[in-house]
């Protein structure tokens, strides 16, 4: 029941109609028994400054930020964490006294998917397919837990190179286009292959990234950050060939759980949040 002491959380973005975050967080809130609500907050680009002031004035405990504000919000914040800085995006605002701190909780999400599947990253070789926003979070996450070598492979070699160059100082990060021999070679030694492109996402179920199945090690782990469908063509074909596969559900739910923990000090029930995500997707 909403009362005079109900705590406020939400997500700012535009468009916001299709956000899954309220469903996921409502389950998280219920799991810890808090008197709180999590709202979709439709905020146009030109209104971001006013919305940030407004959220503070209205007493929001904290909120998430999504497209198109993940970078633009930085100028309204007092501090940005290293993860958000490296990934180049803020997805969670935490109020600390009078200060606003911008976090990025995607690293926790990226790594949760792998750890729940029993996959360790330290000392491993990885190939990341795609060079967009999700690739940045995956790349930084893998670096943070000690991946030995990472190749970013994208349809555009230039974009892959630009992303790799930003992380050269942080680890052994290389780049290639899908048509390059280097990509083929990297597939032969990769322990973990992560799809961060939208290829295979609903409704385009019959497409997948450029993979040379015969090159892969038999124990290579396949990770797709897509969560709808639960099993993309990339994961299905890999599973049928005997590979361990991981989808993007944990990435989405755990970035939310981590944000909630930053706001409240309480870690919500991730299984309940994952269940709510699946239910919300079914109802679409
Ligand atoms: P993005 O910033 O637009 O990046 C997409 C990347 O995929 C780019 O490198 C893009 O290449 C490449 N790409 C797009 N279409 C392609 C195609 N037809 N063939 C080859 N490459 C293609 O998008 P994003 O935010 O990273 O999101 C990517 C996917 O990750 C989406 O499916 C999204 O739902 C998912 N995601 C999941 C989570 C989660 O929590 N599980 C979080 C974030 C994103 P170009 O630059 O050449 O276009």
């Amino acid at each position: 029941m909403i009362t005079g002491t109900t705590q406020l959380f939400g997500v700012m973005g535009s468009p916001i109609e299709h956000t899954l975050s309220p469903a996921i967080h409502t389950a998280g809130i219920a799991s810890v028994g808090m008197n709180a609500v999590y709202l979709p907050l439709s905020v146009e680009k030109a209104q971001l400054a006013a919305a940030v002031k407004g959220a503070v004035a209205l007493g929001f405990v904290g909120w998430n930020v999504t497209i198109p504000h993940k970078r633009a919000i930085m100028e309204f914040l007092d501090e940005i964490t290293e993860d958000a800085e490296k990934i180049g995006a803020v997805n969670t605002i935490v109020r600390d006294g009078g200060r606003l701190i911008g976090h990025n909780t995607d690293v926790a999400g990226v790594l949760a998917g792998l750890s729940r599947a029993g996959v360790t990253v330290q000392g491993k070789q990885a190939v990341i397919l795609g060079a967009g926003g999700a690739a940045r979070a995956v790349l930084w996450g893998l670096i943070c837990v000690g991946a030995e070598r990472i190749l970013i492979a994208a349809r555009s070699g230039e974009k892959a190179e630009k992303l790799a160059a930003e992380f050269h100082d942080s680890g052994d990060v290389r780049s290639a286009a899908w048509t390059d021999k280097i990509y083929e070679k990297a597939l032969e030694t990769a322990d973990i292959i992560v799809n961060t492109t939208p290829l295979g996402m609903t409704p385009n179920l019959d497409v997948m990234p450029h993979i040379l199945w015969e090159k892969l090690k038999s124990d290579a782990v396949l990770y797709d950050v897509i969560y709808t469908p639960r099993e993309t063509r990339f994961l299905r074909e890999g599973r049928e060939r005997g590979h361990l596969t991981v989808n993007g559900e944990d990435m989405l739910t755990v970035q939310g759980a981590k944000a909630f923990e930053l706001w409240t000090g309480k870690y919500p029930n991730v299984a309940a949040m994952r269940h709510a995500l699946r239910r919300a997707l079914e109802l679409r």
Side-chain angles (χ1 to χ4, degrees):
M1 187 172 60
I2 293 178
T3 66
T5 57
T6 300
Q7 296 194 290
L8 302 177
F9 302 93
V11 54
M12 286 183 185
S14 179
I16 204 69
E17 290 76 10
H18 298 293
T19 178
L20 295 159
S21 293
I24 294 169
H25 276 280
T26 298
I29 289 166
S31 76
V32 296
M34 259 180 86
N35 179 8
V37 288
Y38 184 103
L39 302 167
L41 305 167
S42 177
V43 176
E44 298 292 334
K45 276 187 189 173
Q47 294 300 325
L48 185 58
V52 170
K53 269 193 172 173
V56 170
L58 290 167
F60 273 72
V61 178
W63 66 94
N64 288 125
V65 182
T66 188
I67 291 164
H69 306 312
K70 287 184 171 194
R71 201 177 271 269
I73 195 143
M74 289 183 179
E75 69 171 286
F76 307 113
L77 306 177
D78 300 297
E79 187 183 326
I80 293 161
T81 63
E82 187 190 15
D83 284 353
E85 195 84 64
K86 279 287 189 181
I87 296 169
V90 163
N91 76 344
T92 302
I93 309 297
V94 174
R95 292 183 66 180
D96 179 12
R99 303 175 78 240
L100 293 180
I101 305 179
H103 292 253
N104 190 307
T105 61
D106 282 338
V107 166
V110 167
L111 299 177
L114 290 168
S115 68
R116 196 160 73 92
V119 180
T120 51
V121 177
Q122 191 169 21
K124 300 279 175 65
Q125 299 199 18
V127 170
I128 297 174
L129 304 168
R136 299 179 73 91
V138 170
L139 175 58
W140 179 236
L142 295 181
I143 289 171
C144 286
V145 289
E148 185 185 273
R149 174 179 291 182
I150 302 170
L151 181 86
I152 302 161
R155 64 175 166 184
S156 151
E158 268 173 43
K159 284 189 182 162
E161 196 183 332
K162 197 161 167 270
L163 178 56
E166 279 186 53
F167 288 83
H168 275 158
D169 291 346
S170 306
D172 184 348
V173 182
R174 300 165 192 216
S175 66
W178 287 353
T179 46
D180 291 348
K181 207 76 187 154
I182 302 173
Y183 171 51
E184 224 172 274
K185 278 270 163 226
L187 285 179
E188 288 172 7
T189 54
D191 302 296
I192 303 166
I193 301 168
V194 192
N195 175 41
T196 70
T197 77
L199 289 167
M201 187 168 76
T202 304
N204 302 310
L205 302 178
D206 57 342
V207 292
M208 56 177 276
H210 177 64
I211 283 283
L212 304 156
W213 289 117
E214 67 287 357
K215 300 279 179 194
L216 267 54
K217 294 203 301 186
S218 59
D219 61 352
V221 175
L222 309 184
Y223 186 1
D224 201 327
V225 301
I226 291 172
Y227 46 82
T228 171
R230 275 168 74 181
E231 187 177 59
T232 56
R233 179 176 164 199
F234 170 54
L235 294 190
R236 188 184 71 249
E237 289 196 9
R239 176 178 54 76
E240 286 167 358
R241 286 173 164 80
H243 293 281
L244 177 63
T245 62
V246 179
N247 72 14
E249 287 181 338
D250 279 334
M251 180 174 168
L252 183 63
T253 49
V254 171
Q255 63 76 26
K258 186 72 198 166
F260 192 77
E261 186 186 32
L262 288 169
W263 295 325
T264 66
K266 297 182 168 109
Y267 198 77
N269 184 319
V270 172
M273 295 169 89
R274 196 183 313 114
H275 180 75
L277 164 68
R278 289 179 186 164
R279 181 102 181 91
L281 287 170
E282 275 165 24
L283 292 172
R284 270 188 172 174

